[in-house]
Amino acid sequence: MNVRAAAAQVIYQVVDQGQSLSAALPAAQQEIKPRDQALLQEICYGVLRWLPRLESITQSLMDKPLKGKQRVFHHLILVGLYQLSFMRIPAHAAVAETVDATKTLKKPQLRGLINAILRNYQRQQETLDHQAMQHDAGRYGHPGWLLNMLRAHYPDQLDAVTAANNTKAPMWLRVNRRHHERTQYLALLAAENISATEHPQAADALQLTRACDVQQLPGFAEGWVSVQDAAAQLAVDYLQPQAGELILDCCAAPGGKTAHILERVPGARVVAIDSDEHRLLRVKENLQRLNLDAEVLCADARYPQQWWQGEAFDRILLDAPCSATGVIRRHPDIKWLRRAEDIEALASLQAEILDAMWQQLKPGGTLVYATCSIMPQENREQVTAFLARTADASLADRADNGSETAPGRQILPGESDMDGFYYAVLEKQPQA
């Protein structure tokens, strides 16, 4: 399949049909040549990052919008504009390949229209780009509801957060301590001419100077290393698991944190649960590659009585379902799939899970509440409300664990080149 046609179909599926990019893109990559898969991803991610700006330009170039069965060609125009505006592909090649995609999409009669629009953009590019940046959505590449929330909660960091969301995420590695110390693995990378740097806080994290195929990483197939953002790796540092403890990883898919616990503390007994059976396959695959063992259950965290009749847990890592507003740079479709009303619904679900999980924690135990969100309703406000209604809960005494009035640690996107993440460490008071 023509890669531009594939990109137009993926963007149509995400924007018009509400599919996730993580579902639509891999399916499309199977329909094109392997050498074109990176290009397809670059185009899809780029269009979704800068959708409002590209939409504004398109409206300026068209008398009337394409509707119904022709909507995919609207997205093909966005694909062409993104290449001309943001990519290094020669303009003549970008236009020719995009126009040629009309044949793959079985509407060659639209060839002239697509060609005219893209040629017009080339002639008026400076003016049209300037016009498209005169409104906030076009300038920041974010929908209005999200910009309003960011402006309300992070007025001084708005530019930095939106800029981070619109950049490519770096490739972070988690070194498996069962095989190598971080400095040892850094030397293995250097021997393969792969440049990397250590993270100052996440003790097992290495950032690659340039992303590469995982098969190029020394010992990847043998489980020496995994791909995981440094912010997510901090979960184990906050959890502080100990050998012999019974530990629950709640909402565990795709399993990176489950594996990290077992890599750090081989003697831990780990139970990993998630309500999505399909996503649990990833947990099992990751554990198998790393040669690690955990009890993996498909379960709803709100109703532990349905899946757990065993002893209470020494530690619980609750990586709660959330808006994922901290990982937009990795999943730009979040901007267009989420709605403002989702935040309140997610906060209600998080509270329900948090209350249920607290009952499964031993007195004297530790629960780490985590999200990949940057919304206070899901994070500090959530934990503040929980502490207020839970008599035997307290905030652990840690320098980076906030205060009773502003509990936890909020990491913003781009901070130390990490994803946006939130952590709060909670302790259950021993019984008198």
Side-chain angles (χ1 to χ4, degrees), residues 66-383:
L66 296 171
K67 297 181 178 180
K69 293 181 179 179
Q70 294 186 335
R71 277 292 291 171
V72 71
F73 296 93
H74 171 86
H75 297 296
L76 181 60
I77 293 168
L78 303 182
V79 166
L81 293 175
Y82 176 74
Q83 294 170 82
L84 293 172
S85 185
F86 290 94
M87 297 185 72
R88 295 179 180 177
I89 297 172
H92 66 88
V95 172
E97 290 292 330
T98 304
V99 170
D100 201 46
T102 57
K103 291 188 292 186
T104 305
L105 297 171
K106 295 183 170 55
K107 283 282 185 179
Q109 63 268 36
L110 291 177
R111 182 183 186 91
L113 174 66
I114 306 292
N115 184 66
I117 290 171
L118 298 182
R119 297 295 184 192
N120 267 341
Y121 174 65
Q122 285 183 281
R123 286 190 288 268
Q124 306 174 58
Q125 182 169 356
E126 187 174 343
T127 300
L128 291 170
D129 286 351
H130 178 76
Q131 290 175 352
M133 293 180 65
Q134 296 312 299
H135 52 85
D136 280 352
R139 182 162 64 253
Y140 292 111
H142 286 58
W145 71 268
L146 183 52
L147 276 175
N148 289 339
M149 286 192 174
L150 293 176
R151 191 172 276 121
H153 300 310
Y154 304 105
D156 297 332
Q157 295 93 2
L158 177 66
D159 287 348
V161 169
T162 53
N165 286 345
N166 288 329
T167 57
K168 293 180 184 178
M171 187 170 178
W172 285 98
L173 305 180
R174 184 187 76 241
V175 178
N176 185 348
R177 290 192 186 186
R178 289 190 173 203
H179 295 281
H180 300 92
E181 292 297 320
R182 182 168 65 173
T183 53
Q184 294 174 317
Y185 194 78
L186 195 59
L188 292 174
L189 289 175
E192 298 294 329
N193 292 317
I194 300 174
S195 174
T197 55
E198 298 179 351
H199 191 279
Q201 291 177 295
D204 301 316
L206 292 173
Q207 182 182 1
L208 296 189
T209 304
R210 176 181 292 181
C212 69
D213 188 287
V214 292
Q215 301 307 325
Q216 295 177 249
L217 299 172
F220 180 81
E222 292 79 14
W224 295 0
V225 70
S226 298
V227 177
Q228 187 183 35
D229 191 84
Q233 294 186 44
L234 290 171
V236 172
D237 294 317
Y238 284 108
L239 189 65
Q240 297 183 349
Q242 304 296 315
E245 290 183 333
L246 180 63
I247 298 170
L248 177 64
D249 186 359
C250 181
C251 311
K257 299 180 186 69
T258 303
H260 198 189
I261 293 168
L262 290 164
E263 290 170 1
R264 186 72 70 84
V265 186
R269 296 177 294 150
V270 178
V271 178
I273 69 165
D274 201 277
S275 61
D276 188 328
E277 195 154 6
H278 180 72
R279 295 189 74 221
L280 275 177
L281 294 175
R282 290 280 308 282
V283 179
K284 294 174 181 177
E285 289 168 0
N286 282 325
L287 291 173
Q288 185 174 16
R289 180 181 69 85
L290 296 163
N291 195 27
L292 299 171
D293 186 42
E295 185 173 354
V296 180
L297 303 173
C298 185
D300 190 324
R302 295 173 294 177
Y303 311 114
Q305 66 278 5
Q306 296 179 0
W307 51 267
W308 189 252
Q309 284 78 44
E311 61 184 292
F313 295 93
D314 295 285
R315 297 177 196 268
I316 296 176
L317 172 58
L318 171 51
D319 190 356
C322 70
S323 62
T325 43
V327 292
I328 287 172
R329 64 182 186 172
R330 297 189 186 277
H331 305 281
D333 53 325
I334 289 167
K335 293 189 286 189
W336 318 114
L337 298 178
R338 285 272 179 257
R339 300 289 181 269
E341 56 269 23
D342 294 341
I343 307 300
E344 185 176 344
L346 285 163
S348 178
L349 174 62
Q350 292 154 2
E352 197 174 352
I353 294 174
L354 188 50
D355 287 341
M357 288 297 94
W358 194 252
Q359 301 309 311
Q360 302 304 306
L361 185 66
K362 285 182 181 177
T366 297
L367 184 147
V368 174
Y369 177 81
T371 75
C372 56
S373 167
I374 60 172
M375 294 300 169
Q377 301 97 307
E378 301 178 87
N379 296 338
R380 284 183 171 152
E381 291 175 18
Q382 180 74 257
V383 172

Side-chain angles (χ1 to χ4, degrees), residues 358 367 369 383-384 386-387 390 392-398 400-409 422-429:
W358 194 252
L367 184 147
Y369 177 81
V383 172
T384 298
F386 174 75
L387 290 169
T390 310
D392 59 351
S394 64
L395 200 64
D397 185 16
R398 290 182 53 122
D400 58 351
N401 200 28
S403 64
E404 294 292 335
T405 55
R409 177 188 178 188
Y422 174 81
Y423 289 105
V425 185
L426 304 169
E427 293 179 336
K428 194 169 190 175
Q429 299 306 309

